Amino acid sequence: MEFIHSFCSHPGAVKEKNQDSLLIERGRIGETSFYLYVVCDGMGGLDKGEVASAELIRAFSEWFREELTQIWQEKPYQYRDGAIEVSLKQLLERENRKIAAYGRARGIHMGSTVSAFLSAGDYYYIVHIGDSRIYEIGGGFSQLTDDHTLVAREVQEGRLGPREAETDSRRNVLLQCVGASEVIEPQFRMGSVGTDTVYLLCSDGFRHTLTEEEIFQCFQPGRITTAQQIGDICRELTQLAMDRGEEDNITVLAARSYREG
């Protein structure tokens, strides 16, 4: 499976500094194409959030170029899925310790969310911590990641309704993020890549003022044939979010799958 992709990342209408970071990587081993997409949201309430998010991007880029290649070339087919899961979780555990140690040495508290989507041929692998999101848009609209927030837990346990959660003052309170949590429990998910499907990664600033229906309608795969179109949609929705009063950093990265031939 192949992809076309584009993105938009903006400080937002209020903040001077953009603490979000993103990554796009592409590679090929034999007949298999690989794409890695990552969005990290450095925690705005903490010090040096942009340093934490940038460090995660550096680590994922290095992992893609070194560890993934090693796994794919050395592991038998039936063991690759498990090896990728273990390797990605170990990557985040290492980064959690590294970012926390960096902060302690400087007397600062820092952290970042991470949502990563790896496509390997016809399959995808997701690793995720925090409240950035990954959506799948095809014939329907699905959120592939869980929100690791206090409000999401309240909804899950029946103490808060979904509509109340959208405006709850605690919606930005994270239960875990990389670098600021003593223990992390990354979400891992794998599945089959849909043909002619959009996979969208975004920080929470992108989605606060946009409805799922608006995102779904704008990223209809059947209407998208070029990366330029994807970029235009990303920029238009980013501007719409700011026009509606979004004050946070805004990052959105979208990739549309297609099968060659």
Side-chain angles (χ1 to χ4, degrees):
M1 198 72 71
E2 305 294 338
F3 286 87
I4 53 174
H5 48 249
S6 192
F7 66 92
C8 180
S9 188
H10 196 284
V14 175
K15 298 181 179 180
E16 295 183 2
K17 186 179 294 183
N18 191 351
Q19 294 186 313
D20 293 352
S21 298
L22 64 85
L23 174 69
I24 296 174
E25 292 277 9
R26 179 182 179 182
R28 193 172 188 88
I29 302 175
E31 297 300 313
T32 304
S33 292
F34 296 85
Y35 294 82
L36 176 63
Y37 304 110
V38 186
V39 165
C40 298
D41 179 358
M43 306 320 299
L46 303 181
D47 297 313
K48 299 293 184 181
E50 73 280 6
V51 175
S53 64
E55 166 57 25
L56 280 167
I57 292 301
R58 182 208 61 77
F60 269 91
S61 180
E62 183 178 278
W63 178 89
F64 182 81
R65 297 174 183 276
E66 297 178 6
E67 291 190 44
L68 176 61
T69 300
Q70 185 176 4
I71 289 170
W72 209 259
Q73 291 178 336
E74 296 181 4
K75 294 290 184 181
Y77 173 79
Q78 64 270 31
Y79 297 118
R80 286 175 182 165
D81 294 345
I84 288 173
E85 177 178 3
V86 169
S87 183
L88 284 171
K89 288 181 176 179
Q90 288 177 341
L91 164 65
L92 288 182
E93 288 166 359
R94 288 196 303 270
E95 288 303 305
N96 190 51
R97 293 191 295 268
K98 182 174 182 178
I99 293 170
Y102 179 95
R104 283 195 302 271
R106 289 158 180 80
I108 58 177
H109 195 47
M110 54 196 296
S112 176
T113 72
V114 59
S115 295
F117 178 95
L118 170 70
S119 169
D122 292 339
Y123 298 95
Y124 69 74
Y125 307 84
I126 288 172
V127 67
H128 162 81
I129 289 177
D131 65 349
S132 297
R133 288 182 180 177
I134 301 177
Y135 295 108
E136 183 179 60
I137 305 169
F141 184 93
S142 300
Q143 182 180 333
L144 300 181
T145 53
D146 299 328
D147 292 342
H148 299 151
T149 63
L150 176 61
V151 165
R153 187 175 67 185
E154 294 287 284
V155 171
Q156 184 179 18
E157 295 178 355
R159 291 191 287 268
L160 196 65
R163 290 197 173 184
E164 295 173 289
E166 293 177 4
T167 57
D168 193 286
S169 61
R170 303 167 298 167
R171 69 180 183 177
N172 292 327
V173 178
L174 292 177
L175 298 179
Q176 59 172 337
C177 69
V178 183
S181 300
E182 185 174 345
V183 178
I184 57 172
E185 297 180 0
Q187 177 188 3
F188 181 83
R189 176 172 183 159
M190 64 171 293
S192 298
V193 177
T195 305
D196 301 326
T197 300
V198 170
Y199 293 91
L200 185 146
L201 294 76
C202 65
S203 60
D204 62 330
F206 175 75
R207 59 179 172 78
H208 281 156
T209 61
L210 302 176
T211 68
E212 291 187 350
E213 181 63 23
E214 286 174 325
I215 297 171
F216 174 66
Q217 291 299 332
C218 288
F219 283 102
Q220 283 294 300
R223 304 175 190 166
I224 297 172
T225 57
T226 68
Q228 178 65 45
Q229 287 177 302
I230 296 174
D232 289 344
I233 296 168
C234 289
R235 287 184 288 273
E236 288 168 6
L237 288 179
T238 295
Q239 186 60 53
L240 179 59
M242 289 192 291
D243 291 344
R244 290 178 176 174
E246 179 56 53
E247 298 182 355
D248 202 356
N249 300 154
I250 301 172
T251 295
V252 55
L253 189 169
R256 182 198 185 280
S257 65
Y258 68 94
R259 195 175 295 279
E260 284 189 322

